[in-house]
Amino acid sequence: MNEQMNKNKNKASFRSQFGCTNCRQNKVKCDEKKPICTRCWEKDLPCRTLFRLKWESTYREQGIAFGRSKLNRRPIDQRKGPTGTPGLGSTFPEDTTWLATPTVQSWTFVNTDFSSIRRLYTDEQGCAEPHLLPAVDARTVLGELGPREPVMSSAQSPPLFDLSTNIREAMLQKLQSPLSLFPSLDDLGNQVLFDYYVNQICPRTVQSPLSMSPFASVILPYCVSAPPAVLQAIQALAACHWSQSDPRYSELSLRLKARVLNHLRHRLNTHPKDIGTEDPEILVIMMFLCLYDIVDDCNQQWIIHLQGAKDIIRLRRRRQIALKGANQDVQQDAVSSFTELFFAFQDVMGRTACGKAELFGSTYWRDEDMTINTWMGCSPALVSILFSIMDLSRSRRQVISEEGHETFNARAASLINRLKGIKQESQIDGDNQVIQRIAELKRVTSIVYLNCALYGLTPSDSITKTYIRRILKDIVELLAMEPSCQVVWPLFVAAVELDPLDFAIMLDPDTGKMTDGRRLVLELLMKMSKSSVSSVTRARVVIEQVWKSRDFCLSKSSRERSPASITDLNDWEEYVMPVSDALSLA
């Protein structure tokens, strides 16, 4: 008898107290790993833990013992409190003072969880980084995480509570997740991928830690009420980006992408009229699919999403014009405006390399808008000048008459004057040195691009060498100040227009020796690949191909020559365009 009781006691001691609903329904012991237990991860099930609030008054009304209290089987009307209130026990002293229960309002409960409590706890001790919060360990998702390490507290700051460290840490570990801000994530699972998007991807899409990324400020509020497919597209992008450093996420990212594509095809086939509506769901999904293919070694599929977005945006703009003609007020939401800007900017920056015809027109770029966009790293006015340079470069071949030459030279001179006189301004409060320097760097890079695309300058020209050295020096200084700044396009232009014989490009501060230009470019690309959402790997492949082509024609590229006729094939068209198809440089 005693042995049986001991067995039951030992069995009860190992019973899971916080197991998930799937394990409880199947009567299987749950290992309680967060955010997903091992069994749910292996079976690809949503892992949720439900908790029910138990009120003592309800148990007393039913005559059931509450917790460890003894069962009171007296009739309900006989159990009176000291003030005659039914439902209250007689174990309270006579002089007990009863307080009124406060009214519970919608703001009573704070939506928080263990990660935010831990982050606030770290901020209080002065240990928080301003951006790029550390990523969650991959083993958390894959179910291979061992015992959790305790939260390390700083000895320089006093404790937040008058409790010992062990007790405080035990309380933090026992905190349970509240109601989710994104309810669809509870059914989709893989919540850690969404956290990775917020903490790792969004900060990498802006130039400064003081800037707010539109992928967070615009997209996240929309995700609160967005369909599950939008959140799944975000998870697919996060898994793809995470797989660059941890290959175990490659298969998961492909599965998530396939589900999003199936949903998008089904939506377009069954509800074709939704294409012209104001609902931004389709454009948002296509934007994340486009980013997915860019991160995935700049897969050429991102151009297909770009072309599809162009057709959808054109249909929606026609509908808006029709509604305005009918005297109906039409205001575009912030989500649709940002997605259109995303596609238009990707189109412009990609065409600087390949030189193909534009998909999106110039209506997105106003000449008078000098405000620096923190996501683009420059002002719309500078993008407008780039757009004009590409248009003029494409029309250069059709210039035949003398009058056409004069018109071309006048337009080119106007563009170079606009580049030299443009004053880009930042509206970020506080330290905006990084933002301002990146905008200036892109302005100088635009001058190099104009000289190569319109005037036929080569890497051996002294003007090109001067600008290239300045660009590389600025990139080195910027990456030292802010490793996550997005300067892929300036580095690409400087790399493809680098003189093959320029072995001493700048002084290395560590060794005190002159650094070879190509070695410096490769080191900068390696450094940027660790903190970029762009496809640095594909850019490096194109740069190396350009270098090989220049090495084969070293005698022609090394001698300085006068600019050729504007109708001849220039240096950029000969070496860069043939290998730069579908390259994203945004």
Side-chain angles (χ1 to χ4, degrees):
M1 185 68 178
N2 292 334
E3 293 180 358
Q4 185 67 28
M5 291 178 63
N6 291 333
K7 290 182 179 179
N8 294 335
K9 184 178 180 180
N10 294 334
K11 183 177 180 180
S13 63
F14 289 100
R15 183 179 179 183
S16 174
Q17 298 295 324
F18 302 101
C20 68
T21 55
N22 293 323
C23 294
R24 284 178 173 271
Q25 290 176 358
N26 291 274
K27 297 181 179 180
V28 178
K29 187 177 184 302
C30 181
D31 58 8
E32 302 179 14
K33 289 189 176 181
K34 301 299 180 182
I36 180 171
C37 70
T38 302
R39 183 174 178 273
C40 291
W41 178 82
E42 292 176 348
K43 296 182 176 295
D44 196 18
L45 297 174
C47 187
R48 293 181 295 176
T49 304
L50 300 180
F51 299 93
R52 297 179 180 177
L53 297 178
K54 300 179 180 180
W55 307 101
E56 183 178 2
S57 58
T58 305
Y59 277 68
R60 290 187 177 277
E61 290 175 359
Q62 298 176 1
I64 304 175
F66 179 76
R68 297 182 178 179
S69 61
K70 295 182 179 180
L71 180 62
N72 190 353
R73 298 189 178 277
R74 287 183 299 168
I76 296 176
D77 54 357
Q78 294 180 8
R79 288 178 282 132
K80 304 290 184 179
T83 58
T85 305
L88 298 176
S90 58
T91 59
F92 299 98
E94 294 293 336
D95 57 347
T96 300
T97 302
W98 298 95
L99 301 178
T101 304
T103 304
V104 178
Q105 302 292 345
S106 58
W107 57 83
T108 302
F109 296 98
V110 180
N111 192 348
T112 186
D113 56 13
F114 170 74
S115 61
S116 57
I117 289 290
R118 183 173 181 177
R119 192 180 307 161
L120 292 174
Y121 176 73
T122 309
D123 289 344
E124 185 71 17
Q125 297 180 336
C127 299
E129 293 292 336
H131 65 296
L132 291 182
L133 298 176
V136 181
D137 195 312
R139 294 171 295 173
T140 304
V141 181
L142 301 175
E144 299 175 4
L145 186 63
R148 292 185 176 89
E149 297 180 358
V151 182
M152 300 303 295
S153 60
S154 174
Q156 300 177 355
S157 303
L160 296 179
F161 310 102
D162 190 16
L163 296 172
S164 66
T165 303
N166 294 334
I167 296 178
R168 183 166 63 253
E169 297 303 331
M171 292 174 61
L172 289 176
Q173 294 288 353
K174 289 297 182 180
L175 278 175
Q176 303 299 326
S177 299
L179 296 177
S180 175
L181 186 61
F182 305 97
S184 300
L185 284 176
D186 297 336
D187 299 326
L188 295 176
N190 297 318
Q191 291 93 335
V192 71
L193 293 177
F194 193 80
D195 294 338
Y196 183 90
Y197 167 81
V198 175
N199 295 330
Q200 296 293 324
I201 295 181
C202 289
R204 287 180 165 93
T205 57
V206 286
Q207 316 298 330
S208 170
L210 300 177
S211 307
M212 176 61 72
S213 170
F215 285 93
S217 61
V218 177
I219 298 301
L220 288 183
Y222 169 70
C223 290
V224 175
S225 58
V230 174
L231 298 176
Q232 208 159 47
I234 292 177
Q235 291 178 329
L237 172 63
C240 181
H241 190 273
W242 207 340
S243 66
Q244 306 301 312
S245 57
D246 192 339
R248 289 179 292 179
Y249 287 96
S250 300
E251 183 180 352
L252 178 60
S253 67
L254 291 174
R255 289 205 309 265
L256 292 172
K257 179 187 177 182
R259 294 174 187 173
V260 175
L261 284 173
N262 290 334
H263 169 81
L264 184 60
R265 293 193 189 100
H266 179 75
R267 175 79 185 272
L268 295 177
N269 292 331
T270 57
H271 301 86
K273 294 183 179 180
D274 292 348
I275 297 177
T277 62
E278 299 300 321
D279 185 8
E281 176 192 355
I282 296 178
L283 284 179
V284 173
I285 291 177
M286 295 180 70
M287 178 181 69
F288 282 111
L289 289 175
C290 183
L291 265 179
Y292 181 102
D293 290 328
I294 291 174
V295 172
D296 189 19
D297 293 335
C298 207
N299 191 312
Q300 292 191 1
Q301 295 295 323
W302 77 273
I303 297 293
I304 298 178
H305 298 303
L306 198 69
Q307 294 170 343
K310 178 204 70 173
D311 296 334
I312 293 176
I313 292 173
R314 182 178 58 186
L315 291 175
R316 294 189 175 190
R317 291 206 163 190
R318 287 180 180 177
R319 181 176 179 273
Q320 292 175 357
I321 293 174
L323 292 176
K324 289 182 180 179
N327 296 325
Q328 297 186 22
D329 186 19
V330 179
Q331 293 183 353
Q332 193 173 35
D333 59 284
V335 179
S336 298
S337 298
F338 171 65
T339 53
E340 291 184 10
L341 181 69
F342 169 85
F343 289 116
F345 188 64
Q346 289 285 352
D347 178 45
V348 171
M349 302 310 295
R351 287 196 306 119
T352 58
C354 66
K356 292 187 176 181
E358 76 278 358
L359 295 177
F360 293 80
S362 60
T363 56
Y364 296 92
W365 320 113
R366 294 183 299 170
D367 297 340
E368 66 278 4
D369 191 353
M370 305 289 183
T371 304
I372 300 174
N373 185 294
T374 56
W375 170 64
M376 298 190 303
C378 61
S379 65
L382 182 63
V383 183
S384 175
I385 297 175
L386 281 175
F387 193 95
S388 301
I389 293 173
M390 288 183 288
D391 276 356
L392 187 58
S393 177
R394 286 179 55 81
S395 64
R396 179 174 52 83
R397 295 292 188 84
Q398 285 73 37
V399 177
I400 300 176
S401 62
E402 187 68 26
E403 183 180 354
H405 281 70
E406 294 178 358
T407 303
F408 175 87
N409 292 331
R411 290 180 61 186
S414 174
L415 289 174
I416 196 69
N417 290 332
R418 287 174 58 188
L419 278 177
K420 292 181 179 180
I422 188 174
K423 301 295 183 183
Q424 303 181 89
E425 301 176 353
S426 174
Q427 292 185 344
I428 299 180
D429 297 332
D431 184 14
N432 59 357
Q433 183 181 2
V434 175
I435 295 290
Q436 205 72 46
R437 290 194 61 175
I438 291 177
E440 176 62 17
L441 174 63
K442 292 191 174 183
R443 185 191 71 84
V444 175
T445 307
S446 301
I447 296 177
V448 176
Y449 176 70
L450 182 146
N451 287 327
C452 296
L454 302 183
Y455 293 110
L457 265 64
T458 64
S460 59
D461 293 311
S462 58
I463 298 177
T464 306
K465 289 184 177 182
T466 302
Y467 278 120
I468 294 303
R469 294 191 178 194
R470 177 180 173 182
I471 291 172
L472 292 177
K473 180 176 180 294
D474 288 344
I475 293 176
V476 171
E477 295 177 355
L478 280 169
L479 291 178
M481 295 170 57
E482 183 54 50
S484 63
C485 61
Q486 305 299 313
V487 287
V488 178
W489 183 66
L491 183 57
F492 175 81
V493 174
V496 297
E497 290 299 323
L498 185 65
D499 189 357
L501 301 178
D502 202 352
F503 301 110
I505 195 76
M506 65 180 297
L507 187 67
D508 190 339
D510 298 329
T511 62
K513 300 179 180 180
M514 298 301 292
T515 305
D516 177 73
R518 292 186 175 181
R519 175 184 176 182
L520 177 62
V521 169
L522 295 178
E523 290 177 352
L524 292 174
L525 286 171
M526 184 179 298
K527 188 174 183 179
M528 290 178 57
S529 63
K530 300 177 181 179
S531 60
S532 177
V533 185
S534 304
S535 180
V536 180
T537 303
R538 173 73 196 289
R540 173 170 178 163
V541 172
V542 173
I543 290 171
E544 291 177 350
Q545 290 177 337
V546 173
W547 287 350
K548 292 177 182 178
S549 300
R550 291 195 186 281
D551 290 343
F552 280 117
C553 306
L554 193 58
S555 59
K556 182 175 68 173
S557 61
S558 61
R559 69 174 184 269
E560 210 171 306
R561 59 182 176 84
S562 59
S565 173
I566 61 174
T567 58
D568 294 340
L569 197 69
N570 60 33
D571 179 83
W572 191 274
E573 293 170 332
E574 183 176 358
Y575 292 102
V576 182
M577 286 186 181
V579 294
S580 301
D581 189 32
L583 176 63
S584 172
L585 295 172

